[in-house]
Amino acid sequence: MPTEEAQAWFGAVYHAVQKVPLGRVTSYGHIARLIGYPERPRQVGVALKHLPSADGNSRMNDNTVPWQRVVNSKGGISPRGPDGARRQAEALRREGVQVDSNSMGELSVALEVYGWFPAELDDESDGA
DNA sequence: ACGTTGACGTTTC
DNA sequence: CGAAACGCCAACG
C-alpha cells in the first residue's frame, strides 16, 4: 500500500494526462511541470507504469487515462518491454497520430507535425 | 532494512 | 552535436 503522498502524486499524474486532447501528445517532463514538480519526470513514468487495469474498479485506469499520448522529450516511445512500445505506437496511430520508425526499430512521434501539448510550456522555438 | 532498477530530463564534458 | 553523470523516488529483489 503506497503512502498517501504517493497516492496523491499518482492521482495528479493521471489527472494531468487526461487533459491531453485526442490527436496530441505530451512528454513526461510536461506532465511533471504541469503538476508542479518539474524535477520528477521519472516518477511520471512510474505512475503510468502502475496505471490500474480497466477491469478494476479504479476510476483511473488504462481505459480512462490516455497513457499512450505520453512520450519522452525526444518524441520517442521509450522501450519498456518487447511489445510495450509497439502497442503504444499502435494506439497513437489509431488516434491519427503519425508515428515513424527508423531502421533500428525505434518508434517516434512526428513532433514537427503535431508539436507538444501544451505548447505554451515550450520556451524554445526550433523546428516550426 | 538495504541496494538496485527504471514509461525521464537537464547539465556537463 | 554525442556521450556520460547526476538527480529524482516508488517498486522490487
Side-chain angles (χ1 to χ4, degrees), chain A residues 25-81:
Chain A
V25 292
T26 190
S27 72
Y28 299 91
H30 281 164
I31 296 298
R33 285 210 270 171
L34 285 173
I35 300 172
Y37 290 85
E39 313 199 334
R40 303 183 206 173
R42 218 164 179 175
Q43 305 323 90
V44 175
V46 173
L48 290 180
K49 180 178 185 179
H50 290 273
L51 183 64
S53 293
D55 301 313
N57 296 331
S58 181
R59 193 170 59 77
M60 300 293 198
N61 54 58
D62 55 7
N63 210 38
T64 62
V65 179
W67 58 273
Q68 56 235 32
R69 296 174 199 159
V70 185
V71 296
N72 61 35
S73 65
K74 299 174 286 247
I77 302 176
S78 300
R80 66 201 65 122

